[in-house]
Structures are given as C-alpha cells and as structure tokens.
Amino acid sequence: MADDNMRDPLATLLGYQLRRLSVLVMADLAEALAPLDLRSAEATMLFLIAAQPGLTQSDLGRTLGIQRANMAPLIAGLDQRGLLDRAKLDGRSQSLRLTDAGAALCRQAWERVQDHEARLFADLSPGERSRWATQLRDLWETLGAREPAG
Amino acid sequence: MADDNMRDPLATLLGYQLRRLSVLVMADLAEALAPLDLRSAEATMLFLIAAQPGLTQSDLGRTLGIQRANMAPLIAGLDQRGLLDRAKLDGRSQSLRLTDAGAALCRQAWERVQDHEARLFADLSPGERSRWATQLRDLWETLGAREPAG
DNA sequence: TATTGTTATACTCTATAACTATA
DNA sequence: TATAGTTATAGAGTATAACAATA
C-alpha cells in the first residue's frame, strides 16, 4: 500500500467508486419509482417487454441477469396487477406482452426514470453522458465475455 | 419512449449501466478475496484501519456507509480472528488498530485488490482510470450533498 | 440529550435444489 | 437429454427499533 494515498486508500479503487455511486443512484431510482409501486427490476422488465413484445420470460431473465427462479414471482406479481398478458407459446414457454394498463404504467415509469437520470446526471453534458454509457457498456461486455459468472 | 432506441431501452440509462458493471466487478472482487476468507466490506475495513489507525468503529461505519448495527458483528468477527485490537477510548468509544496478523492479511488483500483492478480495467489507460475514479468520486460527492440519504 | 456499541429482527435481493411438463 | 416455469429455501446485505453505558 506504500504506493498509494495513505489518507484514502479507496480513492483510486475504481470498483469501490463504481459501487458507491451505483448504490446512491439505485436508491434515488427506488424513490422515484415508489409512487408507482414499482421496484427498479419491475420497471426495467416493463421497458423490455414494451420494446420486445412477445419475448419469453426466460429471455427476459437472461437479458436482465435475473434467474428463472426469481423471475417467476416477479412476473406473477405484474400479471396479477393486470399489467401484462401471458400467452402460451408451446406449452412450456409463454410470450409476454403489456396490457393497456401495463403500457400506461410503463410510460409513467419511463418518464420518472428519465427525470431521475436528468436530475442526477445534470452535471454531465449530453456528450459526456453518452460517452459514459458507451464506455460502461463496453467494459461490461468485455468483462462479461471474460468472466464465466457474467 | 419514442425518443429512444426501441431495441434496447436500457442502453442509454446510465444508472442501469453503472449498476450492471458494478455487480460484475463486485462479483470478481469477491472471488479474488475469497481465498483470504474476506468479504469486500471486511477488506475495505482493513484498508481504512491501516490508513487511519486508532479510528473509531462509528467513524469507520460512517466512512463506509455501514450502519452501527451492522458494524458490530463485522468488527467482532475480525477481532475474533485476531486481526485487530480494540482499545477503549472513553468508555463508550473504542479505537481500532490492526494486529501484526491483521496488517499482514491487509497487505495480502491489498495485493489481490490491485491485481483484480489491473485485470478488470486493463483496457483503460492509467490516465483514463484515474479520470474515471475522479469523475465517479465527484459525482458521488455531488449527489451525496444533494440527497439526504447519502 | 446525544452518542457508542450491541442485540434482535425484518426485509430485499440473490443463489441453489428439486419438481413438473414439455420439447 | 435439455429447457420453461415453478416452488421452497438459504444466504448475503441492509434497515429499524430498542437497550445499556457513557458523554
């Protein structure tokens, strides 16, 4: 540790800085979505179903990094709230689509997420924000390809 | 959502990209520290105690964003492993210092963390890495000052 | 009155195993 | 034999409430 700042050894640790910021951002997002009775995972699920109507529950889980076992109660919850339709594809798979109520709530959630991002990242210019998104994504893809647990 | 990429609505969400990368990085860190029987929170605690010997358990918790109630078992665990000394300061506060064994394990953990960061962020130049750390920290400080839950 | 350390507890998120029914 | 959906369950991590001792 001699080659580092002794006062704050965590200052140079990118992983620590990433996690600390992520925790703060996710807490703010949770607050932004709470009035809609949506958790962040549920909101992202609505966004993806809206973008790719008819996709499978397993596809959705793989895209979001959520395991099948944990998808079941999430999907069931949204279904019971009348936010999505489940149509059997072949007896074991079911395709997901938003109902009208689901689409309406999805739009509300999207607006709130956009507000949340605009507010939190107001100090970043549009160019910086876009560059960050690209870099974060590229890094994630590189590591995902390298790591088995991706 | 009409003003966005319909294929991947999450691509432009900085919060989503941040969290996704953070999860991957933390999982890799956990693997790197597992052979030392240390979790990431325990390792960062060792780093901070080494950097600021004599600090209080509450100070440590505040710095790391860990509540008093959750600090107790963490500190007790490190203490029982003979990694740190607890000396009463005034009857309710206790100052923390690493034992020789604690300092040795701290050095091992630091090496592993450095290896982990070098491996994961190999695609970033030293300048980029340092710039990221600064930007992430600045953003965290801005939001922490803005958010009450910081 | 406020703070430190502690215990107990609950809630969320995530991980694994096992089961069914289908392919 | 592998996959989709489900259930049950266990483990982290984190949150609040309450308490004793001390400042």
Side-chain angles (χ1 to χ4, degrees):
Chain A
M1 191 165 346
D3 61 338
D4 203 72
N5 186 340
M6 293 299 288
R7 280 298 185 80
D8 186 1
L10 310 178
T12 59
L13 297 184
L14 229 43
Y16 181 79
Q17 302 290 335
L18 269 171
R19 179 176 181 280
R20 194 172 61 164
L21 181 58
S22 166
V23 166
L24 207 54
V25 171
M26 292 304 292
D28 186 279
L29 178 62
E31 277 184 40
L33 292 173
L36 303 182
D37 195 20
L38 283 177
R39 286 167 293 176
S40 59
E42 293 171 325
T44 54
M45 285 162 62
L46 292 185
F47 299 157
L48 277 178
I49 297 172
Q52 301 175 34
L55 89 172
T56 287
Q57 176 172 330
S58 287
D59 292 336
L60 188 53
R62 274 188 290 269
T63 300
L64 293 175
I66 301 175
Q67 313 223 359
R68 292 196 316 284
N70 298 325
M71 286 295 296
L74 284 170
I75 290 291
L78 296 179
D79 188 19
Q80 282 163 17
R81 290 168 65 179
L83 301 175
L84 48 84
D85 278 330
R86 299 199 258 190
K88 291 211 165 184
L89 272 184
D90 58 11
R92 61 178 181 182
S93 299
Q94 52 194 7
S95 72
L96 303 174
R97 285 168 202 280
L98 296 184
T99 61
D100 289 346
L105 189 60
C106 179
R107 280 190 294 271
Q108 287 184 277
W110 185 255
E111 281 181 21
R112 283 178 177 271
V113 170
Q114 292 300 117
D115 286 351
H116 143 87
E117 291 242 333
R119 178 166 39 82
L120 261 60
F121 304 115
D123 286 356
L124 300 179
S125 70
E128 280 176 321
R129 216 177 117 174
S130 146
R131 199 174 327 122
W132 273 49
T134 303
Q135 287 179 316
L136 290 170
R137 186 193 181 80
D138 288 350
L139 199 43
W140 177 81
E141 282 178 354
T142 304
L143 299 182
R146 198 180 299 165
E147 301 274 325
Chain B
M1 193 164 346
D3 61 337
D4 202 73
N5 187 339
M6 291 301 287
R7 281 297 185 82
D8 186 2
L10 309 179
T12 60
L13 297 184
L14 229 43
Y16 182 79
Q17 302 290 335
L18 268 171
R19 179 176 183 282
R20 194 171 62 164
L21 181 58
S22 167
V23 166
L24 207 54
V25 171
M26 292 303 293
D28 186 280
L29 178 62
E31 278 184 38
L33 292 173
L36 303 182
D37 195 19
L38 282 176
R39 287 166 294 176
S40 60
E42 294 172 325
T44 54
M45 284 163 61
L46 293 184
F47 298 157
L48 277 179
I49 297 172
Q52 301 175 34
L55 89 171
T56 286
Q57 176 171 330
S58 287
D59 292 335
L60 187 54
R62 274 188 290 268
T63 300
L64 293 176
I66 301 175
Q67 313 223 1
R68 291 196 316 283
N70 298 326
M71 285 295 296
L74 283 169
I75 290 290
L78 296 178
D79 187 20
Q80 282 163 18
R81 289 168 66 180
L83 300 175
L84 49 84
D85 278 329
R86 299 199 255 190
K88 290 210 166 186
L89 270 185
D90 58 11
R92 60 178 182 181
S93 299
Q94 53 194 7
S95 73
L96 303 173
R97 284 167 202 283
L98 297 184
T99 61
D100 288 348
L105 188 61
C106 180
R107 281 189 293 271
Q108 288 185 278
W110 185 255
E111 280 182 20
R112 283 178 177 271
V113 170
Q114 291 300 117
D115 286 351
H116 143 86
E117 290 243 334
R119 177 166 39 82
L120 260 60
F121 304 116
D123 286 356
L124 301 180
S125 71
E128 280 176 321
R129 216 177 116 176
S130 145
R131 198 173 328 120
W132 274 50
T134 301
Q135 287 180 316
L136 290 169
R137 185 192 181 81
D138 288 350
L139 199 43
W140 178 80
E141 281 177 355
T142 303
L143 298 182
R146 198 179 301 166
E147 300 276 325

